[in-house]
Each structure stands twice: as structure tokens, then as C-alpha cells.
Amino acid sequence: MYDPTVARLTYRALLGRRRALILGALPLLLIVISVAVRGLTGADDQTASDVLGGFALATMVPIIGVIAGTGAIGPEIDDGSVVYLLSKPLKRPTIIFTKLIVAIAVTMVFSALPTLIAGFILNGNGQQIAVAYTVAALVSSIAYAALFLLLGTVSRHAVVFGLVYALVWEALFGSLVPGARTLSVQQWSLAVAHKVAGGDLVTSAVGLPTATVLLVVVTVLATWYAGQKLRSLTLAGEE
């Protein structure tokens, strides 16, 4: 299910100079904001939770997921180079699974690690805030990578749709509209973070059992359907 050659090519595409700069911009901004906030307000648990929840988890993680998830396959489909990959004796689910692993790894490195560093800067991991949001970033990275990889497989405008989802649905509706929170990856990951941190600083509109089931179901279904779409793309090309 994992092909090293496909993985190497995908890493090379995702971590090229231009895309790496884009991926690194938001984590760097998070660190700068954290240093500034710590200097102005000192170590405060509520402030740390607000920064990590409001910027890191609600904005940075989904946007990085968009870049990594869609970038793992979208450009190859757009420029037609995916035909060369599909001509190799590889099962289509193997291609998708390999690209998913790469997208997850890239999303985790560029989102979870900066979140942990920012959390320690903000309050030294008081009340497990840094660790809780880091775990949330790790968990949401998996679901976002699967969703946006699927989006990159089915649409030539995957980045646009992905950013709309990340910025409008997750950051706006997912935070403000009660009904939409149940269908928010951010809220699912916050349920995990709440379990890690305990207390009332980290809260979620979704219970942990429901969040866990939804995270697994969405990840599995998105990965499976992306494999099916890639298979149909192959058939269309052969015709």
C-alpha cells in the first residue's frame, strides 16, 4: 500500500522552494505572534488557549492541510503528468495511500510542531495547553489531508474550494454556527484536545466518542473515494 518512489516524488513536489516558503509562512507568523503576546501579557493560560485555538487550529492547520493535500496530487492532474504515474504497474489505491501519508506527514510537521513550540512560548505548557493543541493539530492533520487530497482528485479548482472550506466553513461557520460545529474537523480535534487538557480552557461542541468516529469515518471514506476517482480517471484516459 506504500510506494517509496511515489512518496519521494510527492515530497519533492510539496517541498519545492516556492511551496515550502508558503508552508513555512503561517508557522513562522504563529511563532512571532506567540513571542509578541508573551512579551506583552506574560504567561497566561487563557491567552495561550485563545491564540492556539483561534489562529493555530482554526486557521493555520486547515490552510496547511489545503496546500499539502491538494498539492500532493492536484498539480499532476492539472498538467497531465499523472498519466505517466498511472502508466506504471501500481494499484490506484496504493498511489492515493502513499500520497496521503506524505500529505499527512507534511501537514503535521508544518502545523503540529509550530503549535507545540508556540504553546511553550505562550505559557510553558501550563495546564497541558501546548500538548493538547498539538495533539489536536496532529489529529486534524490526518482528516484534513484526506479531505483535501480527495478534493485535489475531483476538482481542478481544489485550492480555491479548499481555502473556502478552511476559511469560511471552519474558521467562521464552524466557530459561530451551532449546527455547523458538528460537521467541523476543528471541533472534532478540539474534543480530543479537551480530553488531553481537562478543565474548561479547551472546549468542543462535539463529544469525544462522536468526534473519534467522525474523524475515522471521514478519513477512511475520503481516502477510499479518492482511490475510486483516480481509477475512473485512468479509465477515461485510456478511452
Side-chain angles (χ1 to χ4, degrees):
M1 290 297 291
Y2 181 85
D3 186 83
T5 301
V6 174
R8 184 173 64 254
L9 293 173
T10 306
Y11 275 118
R12 186 179 301 173
L14 284 178
L15 300 178
R17 182 178 302 177
R18 180 181 177 183
R19 190 169 275 114
L21 289 174
I22 297 174
L23 284 169
L26 284 175
L28 179 60
L29 180 59
L30 173 63
I31 299 301
V32 171
I33 290 174
S34 300
V35 171
V37 169
R38 177 61 185 267
L40 292 172
T41 65
D44 181 77
D45 295 340
Q46 184 62 59
T47 300
S49 181
D50 292 341
V51 172
L52 296 180
F55 182 77
L57 198 62
T59 302
M60 182 185 73
V61 181
I63 290 180
I64 291 176
V66 170
I67 298 171
T70 61
I73 195 169
E76 292 176 301
I77 295 177
D78 291 341
D79 63 20
S81 62
V82 71
V83 173
Y84 297 99
L85 180 60
L86 297 178
S87 67
K88 304 299 181 182
L90 292 171
K91 294 181 179 179
R92 304 305 174 252
T94 297
I95 296 173
I96 288 296
F97 184 76
T98 302
K99 288 182 173 293
L100 174 63
I101 295 300
V102 173
I104 290 173
V106 171
T107 306
M108 285 182 172
V109 169
F110 283 91
S111 61
L113 184 58
T115 298
L116 181 64
I117 295 172
F120 274 96
I121 292 173
L122 287 165
N123 76 332
N125 195 38
Q127 297 195 51
Q128 292 288 96
I129 295 298
V131 172
Y133 278 103
T134 299
V135 172
L138 290 170
V139 169
S140 59
S141 292
I142 299 173
Y144 283 132
L147 282 172
F148 296 132
L149 179 65
L150 170 61
L151 197 56
T153 306
V154 302
S155 175
R156 291 182 177 273
H157 306 288
V159 174
V160 175
F161 291 139
L163 288 175
V164 169
Y165 174 85
L167 298 177
V168 177
W169 183 266
E170 288 282 20
L172 184 60
F173 288 102
S175 300
L176 302 177
V177 182
R181 294 177 183 175
T182 306
L183 301 177
S184 168
V185 175
Q186 176 190 344
Q187 292 297 322
W188 304 342
S189 61
L190 280 172
V192 180
H194 173 71
K195 179 65 176 180
V196 175
D200 298 323
L201 283 176
V202 184
T203 59
S204 172
V206 183
L208 181 59
T210 301
T212 302
V213 171
L214 289 173
L215 283 167
V216 173
V217 169
V218 166
T219 301
V220 171
L221 286 181
T223 305
W224 172 81
Y225 192 60
Q228 296 302 307
K229 293 301 293 183
L230 191 62
R231 183 173 297 166
S232 66
L233 176 67
T234 305
L235 294 175
E238 291 172 351
E239 294 174 357

Short mmCIF file of all heavy atoms in Angstrom, two decimals, residues 22-31 33-34 51-68 106-118 133-134 137-138 140-141 144 148 163 166-167 170-171 186:
data_model
loop_
_atom_site.label_atom_id
_atom_site.label_comp_id
_atom_site.label_asym_id
_atom_site.label_seq_id
_atom_site.Cartn_x
_atom_site.Cartn_y
_atom_site.Cartn_z
N ILE A 22 5.66 28.93 1.20
CA ILE A 22 4.25 29.15 1.56
C ILE A 22 3.89 28.34 2.80
O ILE A 22 3.23 28.84 3.72
CB ILE A 22 3.34 28.76 0.38
CG1 ILE A 22 3.63 29.65 -0.84
CG2 ILE A 22 1.87 28.87 0.77
CD1 ILE A 22 2.89 29.25 -2.09
N LEU A 23 4.34 27.10 2.85
CA LEU A 23 4.06 26.25 4.00
C LEU A 23 4.67 26.81 5.29
O LEU A 23 4.10 26.67 6.36
CB LEU A 23 4.60 24.83 3.76
CG LEU A 23 3.80 23.93 2.80
CD1 LEU A 23 4.61 22.69 2.46
CD2 LEU A 23 2.46 23.55 3.41
N GLY A 24 5.83 27.43 5.17
CA GLY A 24 6.51 27.93 6.35
C GLY A 24 6.05 29.29 6.83
O GLY A 24 6.38 29.69 7.96
N ALA A 25 5.27 30.00 6.02
CA ALA A 25 4.88 31.37 6.36
C ALA A 25 3.98 31.42 7.59
O ALA A 25 4.23 32.19 8.53
CB ALA A 25 4.20 32.02 5.16
N LEU A 26 2.93 30.61 7.60
CA LEU A 26 1.99 30.65 8.73
C LEU A 26 2.61 30.16 10.03
O LEU A 26 2.40 30.78 11.08
CB LEU A 26 0.74 29.85 8.39
CG LEU A 26 -0.25 30.52 7.43
CD1 LEU A 26 -1.38 29.58 7.07
CD2 LEU A 26 -0.80 31.81 8.03
N PRO A 27 3.37 29.06 10.03
CA PRO A 27 4.05 28.66 11.28
C PRO A 27 4.98 29.75 11.82
O PRO A 27 5.03 29.98 13.04
CB PRO A 27 4.84 27.41 10.87
CG PRO A 27 4.07 26.85 9.73
CD PRO A 27 3.54 28.02 8.99
N LEU A 28 5.69 30.41 10.93
CA LEU A 28 6.57 31.49 11.36
C LEU A 28 5.77 32.63 11.96
O LEU A 28 6.15 33.20 13.00
CB LEU A 28 7.40 31.99 10.18
CG LEU A 28 8.36 33.15 10.47
CD1 LEU A 28 9.38 32.74 11.52
CD2 LEU A 28 9.07 33.59 9.19
N LEU A 29 4.63 32.96 11.34
CA LEU A 29 3.77 34.01 11.86
C LEU A 29 3.25 33.63 13.24
O LEU A 29 3.17 34.49 14.14
CB LEU A 29 2.61 34.26 10.90
CG LEU A 29 1.60 35.34 11.31
CD1 LEU A 29 2.30 36.68 11.49
CD2 LEU A 29 0.49 35.44 10.27
N LEU A 30 2.88 32.36 13.43
CA LEU A 30 2.40 31.91 14.73
C LEU A 30 3.47 32.09 15.80
O LEU A 30 3.17 32.56 16.92
CB LEU A 30 1.99 30.43 14.65
CG LEU A 30 1.63 29.76 15.98
CD1 LEU A 30 0.40 30.41 16.60
CD2 LEU A 30 1.40 28.27 15.79
N ILE A 31 4.70 31.75 15.48
CA ILE A 31 5.79 31.89 16.46
C ILE A 31 6.00 33.37 16.80
O ILE A 31 6.17 33.74 17.97
CB ILE A 31 7.09 31.27 15.91
CG1 ILE A 31 6.91 29.78 15.63
CG2 ILE A 31 8.23 31.49 16.90
CD1 ILE A 31 6.51 28.96 16.82
N ILE A 33 3.82 35.83 16.58
CA ILE A 33 2.68 36.29 17.38
C ILE A 33 2.82 35.80 18.83
O ILE A 33 2.57 36.56 19.78
CB ILE A 33 1.36 35.78 16.77
CG1 ILE A 33 1.07 36.50 15.46
CG2 ILE A 33 0.20 36.00 17.75
CD1 ILE A 33 -0.14 35.96 14.72
N SER A 34 3.23 34.56 19.00
CA SER A 34 3.36 33.99 20.34
C SER A 34 4.42 34.73 21.15
O SER A 34 4.23 35.02 22.34
CB SER A 34 3.71 32.50 20.25
OG SER A 34 2.70 31.80 19.56
N VAL A 51 -4.94 31.95 21.51
CA VAL A 51 -4.05 32.05 20.36
C VAL A 51 -3.95 30.72 19.63
O VAL A 51 -4.07 30.66 18.39
CB VAL A 51 -2.64 32.52 20.80
CG1 VAL A 51 -1.66 32.44 19.62
CG2 VAL A 51 -2.69 33.95 21.34
N LEU A 52 -3.76 29.65 20.37
CA LEU A 52 -3.60 28.34 19.75
C LEU A 52 -4.90 27.85 19.12
O LEU A 52 -4.89 27.23 18.05
CB LEU A 52 -3.10 27.32 20.78
CG LEU A 52 -1.71 27.59 21.35
CD1 LEU A 52 -1.33 26.51 22.35
CD2 LEU A 52 -0.66 27.66 20.25
N GLY A 53 -6.02 28.15 19.78
CA GLY A 53 -7.30 27.73 19.22
C GLY A 53 -7.77 28.62 18.10
O GLY A 53 -8.28 28.14 17.08
N GLY A 54 -7.58 29.93 18.27
CA GLY A 54 -8.10 30.88 17.29
C GLY A 54 -7.26 31.02 16.04
O GLY A 54 -7.80 31.27 14.95
N PHE A 55 -5.95 30.85 16.17
CA PHE A 55 -5.09 31.00 14.98
C PHE A 55 -4.50 29.68 14.53
O PHE A 55 -4.66 29.28 13.37
CB PHE A 55 -3.95 31.99 15.27
CG PHE A 55 -3.06 32.21 14.07
CD1 PHE A 55 -3.47 33.02 13.03
CD2 PHE A 55 -1.81 31.61 14.00
CE1 PHE A 55 -2.66 33.22 11.92
CE2 PHE A 55 -1.00 31.79 12.90
CZ PHE A 55 -1.42 32.60 11.85
N ALA A 56 -3.84 28.97 15.44
CA ALA A 56 -3.16 27.74 15.04
C ALA A 56 -4.14 26.69 14.52
O ALA A 56 -4.01 26.19 13.41
CB ALA A 56 -2.36 27.18 16.21
N LEU A 57 -5.13 26.35 15.34
CA LEU A 57 -6.02 25.25 14.97
C LEU A 57 -7.10 25.68 13.99
O LEU A 57 -7.47 24.90 13.10
CB LEU A 57 -6.68 24.68 16.24
CG LEU A 57 -7.29 23.29 16.10
CD1 LEU A 57 -6.22 22.26 15.74
CD2 LEU A 57 -8.00 22.88 17.38
N ALA A 58 -7.61 26.89 14.13
CA ALA A 58 -8.73 27.32 13.28
C ALA A 58 -8.28 27.83 11.91
O ALA A 58 -9.06 27.77 10.96
CB ALA A 58 -9.53 28.42 13.99
N THR A 59 -7.05 28.31 11.81
CA THR A 59 -6.62 28.92 10.54
C THR A 59 -5.39 28.22 9.95
O THR A 59 -5.41 27.78 8.81
CB THR A 59 -6.29 30.41 10.75
OG1 THR A 59 -7.45 31.08 11.27
CG2 THR A 59 -5.88 31.05 9.44
N MET A 60 -4.32 28.10 10.74
CA MET A 60 -3.06 27.59 10.21
C MET A 60 -3.17 26.13 9.76
O MET A 60 -2.76 25.78 8.65
CB MET A 60 -1.96 27.73 11.25
CG MET A 60 -0.59 27.26 10.76
SD MET A 60 0.67 27.32 12.07
CE MET A 60 0.16 25.90 13.07
N VAL A 61 -3.71 25.27 10.62
CA VAL A 61 -3.74 23.84 10.31
C VAL A 61 -4.56 23.55 9.06
O VAL A 61 -4.09 22.84 8.16
CB VAL A 61 -4.25 23.02 11.51
CG1 VAL A 61 -4.27 21.54 11.16
CG2 VAL A 61 -3.38 23.25 12.73
N PRO A 62 -5.80 24.06 8.92
CA PRO A 62 -6.55 23.76 7.70
C PRO A 62 -5.92 24.32 6.43
O PRO A 62 -5.97 23.69 5.38
CB PRO A 62 -7.93 24.37 7.95
CG PRO A 62 -7.76 25.30 9.09
CD PRO A 62 -6.64 24.77 9.91
N ILE A 63 -5.30 25.51 6.51
CA ILE A 63 -4.68 26.08 5.32
C ILE A 63 -3.47 25.25 4.90
O ILE A 63 -3.27 24.98 3.70
CB ILE A 63 -4.28 27.55 5.56
CG1 ILE A 63 -5.54 28.42 5.66
CG2 ILE A 63 -3.38 28.06 4.44
CD1 ILE A 63 -5.26 29.88 5.91
N ILE A 64 -2.67 24.83 5.86
CA ILE A 64 -1.54 23.95 5.53
C ILE A 64 -2.05 22.62 4.98
O ILE A 64 -1.48 22.05 4.05
CB ILE A 64 -0.66 23.74 6.77
CG1 ILE A 64 0.07 25.04 7.12
CG2 ILE A 64 0.36 22.62 6.53
CD1 ILE A 64 0.89 24.99 8.37
N GLY A 65 -3.17 22.15 5.54
CA GLY A 65 -3.79 20.94 5.00
C GLY A 65 -4.21 21.10 3.56
O GLY A 65 -4.06 20.18 2.75
N VAL A 66 -4.74 22.27 3.23
CA VAL A 66 -5.12 22.56 1.83
C VAL A 66 -3.90 22.49 0.92
O VAL A 66 -3.93 21.85 -0.14
CB VAL A 66 -5.78 23.95 1.72
CG1 VAL A 66 -5.95 24.35 0.25
CG2 VAL A 66 -7.14 23.95 2.41
N ILE A 67 -2.84 23.16 1.32
CA ILE A 67 -1.63 23.21 0.49
C ILE A 67 -1.04 21.81 0.31
O ILE A 67 -0.68 21.41 -0.81
CB ILE A 67 -0.59 24.15 1.12
CG1 ILE A 67 -1.16 25.58 1.18
CG2 ILE A 67 0.71 24.13 0.31
CD1 ILE A 67 -0.30 26.54 1.98
N ALA A 68 -0.95 21.06 1.40
CA ALA A 68 -0.33 19.72 1.33
C ALA A 68 -1.24 18.71 0.67
O ALA A 68 -0.80 17.91 -0.17
CB ALA A 68 0.05 19.25 2.74
N VAL A 106 3.61 16.00 5.99
CA VAL A 106 3.94 17.41 5.74
C VAL A 106 3.04 18.32 6.58
O VAL A 106 3.50 19.30 7.19
CB VAL A 106 3.81 17.74 4.24
CG1 VAL A 106 3.92 19.25 4.00
CG2 VAL A 106 4.88 17.00 3.45
N THR A 107 1.74 18.01 6.62
CA THR A 107 0.82 18.83 7.41
C THR A 107 1.17 18.79 8.88
O THR A 107 1.15 19.83 9.57
CB THR A 107 -0.63 18.33 7.20
OG1 THR A 107 -0.94 18.30 5.81
CG2 THR A 107 -1.62 19.26 7.90
N MET A 108 1.51 17.62 9.38
CA MET A 108 1.87 17.51 10.79
C MET A 108 3.13 18.30 11.12
O MET A 108 3.18 19.03 12.14
CB MET A 108 2.09 16.04 11.16
CG MET A 108 0.82 15.22 11.29
SD MET A 108 1.19 13.51 11.78
CE MET A 108 -0.47 12.90 12.11
N VAL A 109 4.14 18.19 10.29
CA VAL A 109 5.41 18.87 10.57
C VAL A 109 5.22 20.38 10.56
O VAL A 109 5.74 21.10 11.44
CB VAL A 109 6.48 18.46 9.54
CG1 VAL A 109 7.71 19.38 9.64
CG2 VAL A 109 6.89 17.01 9.75
N PHE A 110 4.46 20.89 9.60
CA PHE A 110 4.31 22.34 9.46
C PHE A 110 3.18 22.92 10.32
O PHE A 110 3.00 24.13 10.33
CB PHE A 110 4.08 22.71 8.00
CG PHE A 110 5.33 22.69 7.17
CD1 PHE A 110 5.71 21.54 6.50
CD2 PHE A 110 6.14 23.81 7.07
CE1 PHE A 110 6.86 21.51 5.73
CE2 PHE A 110 7.30 23.80 6.31
CZ PHE A 110 7.67 22.64 5.64
N SER A 111 2.43 22.07 11.04
CA SER A 111 1.37 22.59 11.88
C SER A 111 1.51 22.17 13.34
O SER A 111 1.45 23.01 14.24
CB SER A 111 -0.01 22.15 11.35
OG SER A 111 -0.14 20.75 11.35
N ALA A 112 1.71 20.88 13.59
CA ALA A 112 1.77 20.41 14.98
C ALA A 112 3.03 20.88 15.69
O ALA A 112 2.98 21.32 16.85
CB ALA A 112 1.68 18.88 15.02
N LEU A 113 4.18 20.79 15.04
CA LEU A 113 5.43 21.21 15.67
C LEU A 113 5.43 22.70 16.01
O LEU A 113 5.77 23.07 17.15
CB LEU A 113 6.62 20.86 14.76
CG LEU A 113 8.01 21.16 15.32
CD1 LEU A 113 8.23 20.41 16.63
CD2 LEU A 113 9.10 20.78 14.31
N PRO A 114 5.03 23.60 15.09
CA PRO A 114 4.95 25.02 15.47
C PRO A 114 3.93 25.28 16.57
O PRO A 114 4.13 26.17 17.40
CB PRO A 114 4.52 25.70 14.16
CG PRO A 114 4.96 24.78 13.08
CD PRO A 114 4.78 23.40 13.65
N THR A 115 2.83 24.50 16.59
CA THR A 115 1.84 24.66 17.64
C THR A 115 2.44 24.33 19.01
O THR A 115 2.20 25.03 20.00
CB THR A 115 0.62 23.76 17.37
OG1 THR A 115 0.01 24.14 16.14
CG2 THR A 115 -0.40 23.87 18.50
N LEU A 116 3.22 23.26 19.06
CA LEU A 116 3.87 22.89 20.32
C LEU A 116 4.85 23.96 20.77
O LEU A 116 4.86 24.36 21.95
CB LEU A 116 4.60 21.56 20.14
CG LEU A 116 5.32 21.01 21.38
CD1 LEU A 116 4.32 20.69 22.48
CD2 LEU A 116 6.13 19.77 21.02
N ILE A 117 5.67 24.44 19.83
CA ILE A 117 6.64 25.49 20.17
C ILE A 117 5.93 26.75 20.65
O ILE A 117 6.31 27.36 21.66
CB ILE A 117 7.53 25.80 18.95
CG1 ILE A 117 8.38 24.57 18.59
CG2 ILE A 117 8.43 27.00 19.22
CD1 ILE A 117 9.14 24.72 17.29
N ALA A 118 4.88 27.14 19.93
CA ALA A 118 4.13 28.34 20.30
C ALA A 118 3.49 28.18 21.68
O ALA A 118 3.47 29.11 22.48
CB ALA A 118 3.05 28.63 19.26
N TYR A 133 -3.28 21.15 22.30
CA TYR A 133 -3.48 21.71 20.95
C TYR A 133 -2.56 21.04 19.93
O TYR A 133 -2.90 20.96 18.74
CB TYR A 133 -3.30 23.22 20.96
CG TYR A 133 -4.52 23.96 21.43
CD1 TYR A 133 -4.60 24.49 22.71
CD2 TYR A 133 -5.63 24.09 20.60
CE1 TYR A 133 -5.74 25.15 23.15
CE2 TYR A 133 -6.77 24.76 21.02
CZ TYR A 133 -6.83 25.28 22.30
OH TYR A 133 -7.97 25.92 22.73
N THR A 134 -1.41 20.57 20.38
CA THR A 134 -0.53 19.83 19.47
C THR A 134 -1.18 18.51 19.05
O THR A 134 -1.16 18.14 17.87
CB THR A 134 0.82 19.56 20.13
OG1 THR A 134 1.46 20.80 20.45
CG2 THR A 134 1.73 18.76 19.20
N ALA A 137 -3.81 19.27 16.61
CA ALA A 137 -3.23 19.54 15.29
C ALA A 137 -2.83 18.25 14.59
O ALA A 137 -3.02 18.11 13.37
CB ALA A 137 -2.02 20.47 15.43
N LEU A 138 -2.28 17.31 15.33
CA LEU A 138 -1.89 16.02 14.75
C LEU A 138 -3.12 15.27 14.24
O LEU A 138 -3.12 14.74 13.12
CB LEU A 138 -1.16 15.17 15.80
CG LEU A 138 0.23 15.64 16.20
CD1 LEU A 138 0.72 14.84 17.40
CD2 LEU A 138 1.21 15.50 15.05
N SER A 140 -6.20 16.48 13.52
CA SER A 140 -6.87 17.16 12.42
C SER A 140 -6.05 17.11 11.14
O SER A 140 -6.62 17.13 10.03
CB SER A 140 -7.16 18.62 12.80
OG SER A 140 -5.97 19.32 13.11
N SER A 141 -4.73 17.00 11.26
CA SER A 141 -3.89 16.90 10.06
C SER A 141 -4.26 15.68 9.22
O SER A 141 -4.23 15.73 7.99
CB SER A 141 -2.41 16.81 10.46
OG SER A 141 -1.95 18.01 11.03
N TYR A 144 -7.76 16.46 7.54
CA TYR A 144 -7.63 17.49 6.52
C TYR A 144 -6.87 16.97 5.30
O TYR A 144 -7.25 17.24 4.15
CB TYR A 144 -6.89 18.71 7.09
CG TYR A 144 -7.72 19.60 7.97
CD1 TYR A 144 -7.24 20.04 9.20
CD2 TYR A 144 -8.98 20.04 7.56
CE1 TYR A 144 -8.00 20.86 10.01
CE2 TYR A 144 -9.74 20.86 8.37
CZ TYR A 144 -9.25 21.27 9.60
OH TYR A 144 -10.00 22.09 10.40
N PHE A 148 -8.62 17.02 1.64
CA PHE A 148 -8.10 17.89 0.58
C PHE A 148 -7.38 17.10 -0.51
O PHE A 148 -7.29 17.56 -1.64
CB PHE A 148 -7.20 18.96 1.19
CG PHE A 148 -7.94 19.90 2.11
CD1 PHE A 148 -7.46 20.20 3.37
CD2 PHE A 148 -9.15 20.45 1.72
CE1 PHE A 148 -8.15 21.04 4.23
CE2 PHE A 148 -9.86 21.29 2.56
CZ PHE A 148 -9.36 21.60 3.81
N LEU A 163 -9.64 26.44 0.31
CA LEU A 163 -9.50 27.66 1.10
C LEU A 163 -10.85 28.18 1.56
O LEU A 163 -10.98 28.70 2.68
CB LEU A 163 -8.77 28.73 0.28
CG LEU A 163 -7.27 28.48 0.06
CD1 LEU A 163 -6.69 29.54 -0.86
CD2 LEU A 163 -6.52 28.45 1.38
N ALA A 166 -11.71 26.00 4.45
CA ALA A 166 -10.86 26.27 5.61
C ALA A 166 -11.19 27.61 6.26
O ALA A 166 -11.26 27.72 7.49
CB ALA A 166 -9.39 26.23 5.21
N LEU A 167 -11.38 28.64 5.43
CA LEU A 167 -11.55 29.99 5.96
C LEU A 167 -12.99 30.36 6.26
O LEU A 167 -13.27 31.12 7.20
CB LEU A 167 -10.96 31.01 4.99
CG LEU A 167 -9.45 30.88 4.74
CD1 LEU A 167 -8.99 31.89 3.70
CD2 LEU A 167 -8.68 31.06 6.04
N GLU A 170 -14.72 26.35 8.34
CA GLU A 170 -14.05 26.01 9.60
C GLU A 170 -13.86 27.23 10.49
O GLU A 170 -14.19 27.19 11.68
CB GLU A 170 -12.69 25.37 9.30
CG GLU A 170 -12.79 23.96 8.74
CD GLU A 170 -13.09 22.92 9.82
OE1 GLU A 170 -13.59 23.29 10.90
OE2 GLU A 170 -12.83 21.74 9.57
N ALA A 171 -13.30 28.29 9.95
CA ALA A 171 -12.95 29.44 10.77
C ALA A 171 -14.16 30.28 11.15
O ALA A 171 -14.19 30.90 12.21
CB ALA A 171 -11.92 30.31 10.06
N GLN A 186 -12.31 20.89 12.93
CA GLN A 186 -11.73 21.64 14.04
C GLN A 186 -12.38 21.25 15.36
O GLN A 186 -11.69 21.02 16.36
CB GLN A 186 -11.94 23.14 13.80
CG GLN A 186 -11.46 24.02 14.93
CD GLN A 186 -11.90 25.46 14.77
OE1 GLN A 186 -12.30 25.89 13.69
NE2 GLN A 186 -11.87 26.21 15.85
#
